[in-house]
Amino acid sequence: AGAADYAFEIPAGTGARLDAGDEVELLPARIDARVGEVIRIVNRDDRGYLLGPFYVGAGETLSQRFTSAGTFQGACQVHPSGQLELVVTA
């Protein structure tokens, strides 16, 4: 796999921190990207997470190249706001 333009990691133990009421901020509330760029999210935890338009299962790695412009919003379980907005421009 090549280099990612945006790389994030969910460390082991994140779920336990969330269960304990800790505020977890592993991704920004907004990501501004361009068509052709790549995001990679490595989930080292024992549970899956909704991360805006993405779902990354336990122990999985998501790698996504942005192929079209648009704005994508969704719940984000690892940001205090509970939301993530992804804005992809051409």
Side-chain angles (χ1 to χ4, degrees):
D5 297 287
Y6 306 91
F8 302 100
E9 179 176 310
I10 299 168
T14 296
R17 287 183 57 204
L18 290 168
D19 290 347
D22 287 359
E23 187 171 278
V24 176
E25 185 171 347
L26 301 176
L27 272 73
R30 178 178 164 130
I31 298 172
D32 289 288
R34 297 183 67 81
V35 169
E37 291 183 325
V38 174
I39 188 170
R40 180 172 300 121
I41 303 169
V42 178
N43 183 359
R44 301 195 188 284
D45 202 14
D46 59 2
R47 68 176 79 169
Y49 294 94
L50 285 171
L51 309 166
F54 309 114
Y55 177 82
V56 185
E60 294 181 355
T61 296
L62 174 136
S63 189
Q64 174 76 46
R65 181 176 302 277
F66 304 120
T67 57
S68 59
T71 298
F72 310 91
Q73 294 178 306
C76 183
Q77 295 173 292
V78 295
H79 189 274
S81 72
Q83 296 290 312
L84 182 136
E85 180 178 41
L86 170 65
V87 180
V88 181
T89 53

